[in-house]
Amino acid sequence: MKLNKLLVLATVTAMLGGVAAGCANNNPQQAGGGDNKAPAQELRINLTAEPPALDSSIATTNPAFTIMNAINEGLYRLDKDGKPQPALAKDMPKISADGLVYTITLRDGLTWADGSPLKASDFEFAYKRTLDPTTKAKYATMLAWIKGGAALTAAKPEEIEAKKAAVGVKAIDDKTLEITLERPIAFFTDQLSMPIFFPQKPDFVKAQGDKFGADADKVIGAGPFKLESWNHQQQLVMVKNDKYWDAANVKLNKVTVNVVKEASTSLNMYETNQVDLTELKGDQYAMYKDKPDLTLKKEFVTSYVMYETKKFPAFANAKVRQALGMAIDRTALNEVVLGGSSIPSTGLIPGTVSDGNKQEFRKVAGDAQPKFDAAKAKQLLDEGLKELNMTSLPTFKLTSDDTDISKKTIEFIQAQWKQNLGVSVEGEPLPFALRVEKMQKNDFQALIALWGADYNDPMTFLDMWLSDNKSFNYMEYSNKAYDDLVKAADKETDLAKRSKMLVDAEKVLMADTPLSPLYFRTRPYAKKTNVDGLILPAMSKEWELKWTSIK
């Protein structure tokens, strides 16, 4: 077995080639050059993907959440321990005894970045805009926890205004917001820190129309920074917002975010002192393993392959899907492509996510995902093809992002499926925004994606695949047994029973294999040692800059 494993690693490595550790230095200033050092309280960061529109109602991606979290703010902001702290809210919410009504008081003197007053009604406007079905907000399902929210998302055009009026979010006065939920949500205060719950300035949003969030002059926030410029696919520049309520404690004056897809280019920029923070890819991790620059971002994030059962009919057969998942050596993927930085998946839900009952989900659930087994995978594929009256699996496309690591992941999986199953796959690497667009339109056959938790509970990974979840069930999966377990858990108030239902739901999902998890992501970064107070959150965002300074 050990010899076979080494042969697999050697074969795949040869097929992929190595990850470049650097590239030609196009900057005349060499590493350590004085002119390349960042000015005092200026931070320079590389980001691998262009954020789509910075509209807190429609955003669904980490790059967008990250930038919006810097230029705007919610009622609460998560600290370095992932705990909510009062932000635009003056203090923690007053919650009714039945857990349904949240009364929240805003701070005195809040303003938008342009100096205009920020009011409780700006939250009411934002939440109702997100729930309005004409907005087509993917994350409206999260606001549907608010009383009347689900009814508004399902409203017919002639019903929308009446349904809006019935939604349980109300500005009592300019400084007091009242939110009424359909049922108690234990982690709702944490949720209020997410961009989907950020305020929006009504007259500004209406003036921008469908261009809201698309350019630097079409966004406005009330956060620590302002978006000064946005050169699409290249760079975003943020500057300190002197109108921010806590501006005195924001140390950075300027943040430059470069969109750099190539790992070698990104590391070269770091090593020539053009940036202060960059993600390390592949074997770059090993290069920095013993350096003080290395910083690990431990995330609640899972990477997986999704199978679109309606776009590629053969994927409707469970044995075909199971074969594809079982034919991928996840340990080899982690070692060869990721440089050993992440954790091979053992289910859909990452290791340290809570089970909702004060225990770690993976410790309770154990290994739910079938282990790599090339022989068993080939047997399952043959059985599945026989059931489909097919002699071979037609060529299909495997879609992902066009970053270095994403392309190498496609190549790795292509090699595994060819070697272990005799299946030919066409790789389709796409720019991030286009990949997301195709995914959201169900316009793919097989697609590599990642999902990061929105809150510390298994439900954030499981309710996506309900038959009636039109927002996130991109593979159009349907399984009544799975639906019943997830929906029962959603209503269950006994936390031990709820945990058991969620464990069982994941088992159903992993046995049915509408998706094949690949790894639980841990991301290594190179960070200059004079960068202090930078937070790399486990959920939703790439980084948090409010408390960052340059020493």
Side-chain angles (χ1 to χ4, degrees):
M1 286 298 291
K2 186 172 183 181
L3 178 59
N4 288 340
K5 179 62 173 295
L6 290 173
L7 287 172
V8 169
L9 287 173
T11 300
V12 176
T13 301
M15 295 183 75
L16 295 184
V19 179
C23 68
N25 180 15
N26 296 319
N27 191 302
Q29 301 289 342
Q30 295 298 315
D35 290 344
N36 270 341
K37 290 184 179 178
Q41 303 312 319
E42 177 178 345
L43 184 68
R44 301 155 306 168
I45 302 173
N46 283 345
L47 192 62
T48 58
E50 162 94 347
L54 300 174
D55 177 345
S56 56
S57 285
I58 65 173
T60 62
T61 68
N62 270 15
F65 289 161
T66 301
I67 300 298
M68 286 190 293
N69 187 65
I71 63 175
N72 205 355
E73 188 163 74
L75 294 160
Y76 304 96
R77 183 176 285 269
L78 299 184
D79 63 17
K80 63 182 178 61
D81 299 316
K83 304 297 183 185
Q85 301 298 334
L88 296 181
K90 182 179 180 180
D91 45 30
M92 302 306 285
K94 294 180 175 63
I95 306 172
S96 61
D98 60 6
L100 296 179
V101 182
Y102 286 60
T103 304
I104 301 166
T105 302
L106 302 188
R107 295 179 183 275
D108 295 332
L110 292 177
T111 71
W112 291 97
D114 64 358
S116 58
L118 188 152
K119 304 174 183 178
S121 57
D122 297 337
F123 287 92
E124 180 178 351
F125 169 81
Y127 298 0
K128 290 182 176 180
R129 176 174 176 262
T130 300
L131 289 164
D132 187 324
T134 62
T135 304
K136 299 179 180 179
K138 297 287 185 182
Y139 267 117
T141 51
M142 199 171 292
L143 273 82
W145 295 334
I146 298 173
K147 185 176 181 181
L152 175 52
T153 62
K156 297 175 182 178
E158 66 274 14
E159 300 173 332
I160 290 175
E161 291 309 313
K163 297 292 186 184
K164 273 188 181 179
V167 170
V169 55
K170 181 169 58 175
I172 304 299
D173 54 44
D174 285 351
K175 287 183 55 183
T176 310
L177 185 70
E178 183 182 89
I179 303 171
T180 303
L181 303 181
E182 290 278 8
R183 63 184 186 282
I185 304 290
F187 43 80
F188 188 67
T189 302
D190 297 44
Q191 289 304 94
L192 293 172
S193 68
M194 281 193 66
I196 194 73
F197 290 97
F198 284 4
Q200 296 173 5
K201 187 179 179 186
D203 56 351
F204 186 89
V205 173
K206 292 171 184 175
Q208 306 310 317
D210 60 4
K211 299 297 183 183
F212 175 58
D215 286 294
D217 62 346
K218 294 177 175 57
V219 299
I220 190 169
F225 304 96
K226 298 184 293 185
L227 186 58
E228 183 178 66
S229 64
W230 187 357
N231 185 1
H232 289 280
Q233 299 298 334
Q234 294 188 51
Q235 189 179 82
L236 299 93
V237 177
M238 299 182 290
V239 296
K240 182 175 177 177
N241 175 16
D242 59 5
K243 300 290 195 299
Y244 180 54
W245 68 269
D246 199 26
N249 291 311
V250 176
K251 304 304 181 187
L252 293 176
N253 293 317
K254 183 178 181 181
V255 180
T256 301
V257 181
N258 305 299
V259 180
V260 184
K261 297 177 183 177
E262 295 77 18
S264 56
T265 302
S266 190
L267 183 58
N268 184 67
M269 291 175 70
Y270 180 82
E271 292 185 336
T272 54
N273 290 326
Q274 297 174 64
V275 293
D276 308 295
L277 178 74
T278 193
E279 185 179 354
L280 299 170
K281 301 285 191 175
D283 60 4
Q284 294 175 351
Y285 168 63
M287 294 166 55
Y288 274 78
K289 208 165 187 179
D290 298 318
K291 294 184 179 181
D293 306 51
L294 180 67
T295 300
L296 294 178
K297 176 177 167 64
K298 298 179 180 180
E299 299 182 307
F300 296 160
V301 173
T302 302
S303 172
Y304 45 78
V305 181
M306 292 188 289
Y307 309 109
E308 224 297 352
T309 56
K310 295 183 179 178
K311 295 294 188 297
F312 192 74
F315 288 160
N317 184 280
K319 289 182 179 177
V320 170
R321 302 191 303 265
Q322 291 163 4
L324 292 170
M326 203 176 292
I328 302 170
D329 187 337
R330 303 187 296 276
T331 299
L333 170 65
N334 181 50
E335 293 171 3
V336 173
V337 178
L338 306 176
S341 61
S342 290
I343 300 170
S345 61
T346 53
L348 177 63
I349 298 164
T352 56
V353 171
S354 169
D355 73 333
N357 189 34
K358 299 181 180 178
Q359 298 182 72
E360 290 184 13
F361 183 87
R362 285 264 61 91
K363 290 182 179 178
V364 175
D367 294 353
Q369 185 177 2
K371 296 182 184 300
F372 166 67
D373 187 331
K376 178 66 173 176
K378 187 66 171 68
Q379 178 188 333
L380 284 167
L381 179 63
D382 291 343
E383 291 174 2
L385 291 174
K386 188 174 181 180
E387 291 173 3
L388 292 167
N389 293 316
M390 300 170 68
T391 56
S392 62
L393 195 63
T395 299
F396 58 91
K397 287 183 178 179
L398 178 60
T399 305
S400 189
D401 298 334
D402 61 355
T403 62
D404 283 357
I405 289 297
S406 294
K407 287 189 282 191
K408 289 190 179 298
T409 303
I410 290 177
E411 292 167 5
F412 179 93
I413 294 174
Q414 283 177 305
Q416 291 274 283
W417 284 344
K418 185 66 175 177
Q419 177 179 320
N420 297 326
L421 299 175
V423 171
S424 297
V425 182
E426 180 184 343
E428 186 182 42
L430 298 174
F432 179 74
L434 180 56
R435 190 271 294 170
V436 171
E437 180 183 344
K438 286 176 73 74
M439 180 179 70
Q440 292 179 344
K441 291 180 177 178
N442 312 100
D443 183 17
F444 64 91
Q445 294 173 324
L447 183 144
I448 302 169
L450 296 104
W451 182 258
D454 295 315
Y455 46 95
N456 190 4
D457 187 89
M459 191 62 79
T460 189
F461 287 92
L462 296 174
D463 65 1
M464 300 167 64
W465 317 117
L466 291 169
S467 303
D468 57 3
N469 188 334
K470 304 303 181 185
S471 294
F472 292 104
N473 188 356
Y474 303 124
M475 56 204 180
E476 302 183 271
Y477 174 63
S478 180
N479 182 311
K480 186 177 184 301
Y482 180 78
D483 288 353
D484 290 347
L485 282 165
V486 174
K487 290 184 176 182
D490 196 35
K491 297 175 182 176
E492 181 58 62
T493 56
D494 183 311
L495 297 184
K497 289 181 180 179
R498 179 178 182 271
S499 173
K500 176 68 164 55
M501 290 173 183
L502 296 174
V503 167
D504 290 344
E506 190 199 40
K507 287 179 181 176
V508 170
L509 194 71
M510 291 295 92
D512 211 13
T513 322
L515 51 77
S516 298
L518 300 173
Y519 57 86
F520 304 143
R521 190 170 69 176
T522 295
R523 292 162 69 191
Y525 282 77
K527 177 176 70 70
K528 299 296 185 187
T529 55
N530 66 335
V531 176
D532 189 48
L534 178 82
I535 298 172
L536 298 174
M539 298 184 290
S540 299
K541 299 176 287 292
E542 302 292 325
W543 22 258
E544 164 66 73
L545 303 179
K546 176 181 173 178
W547 296 283
T548 304
S549 64
I550 308 298
K551 294 192 291 186

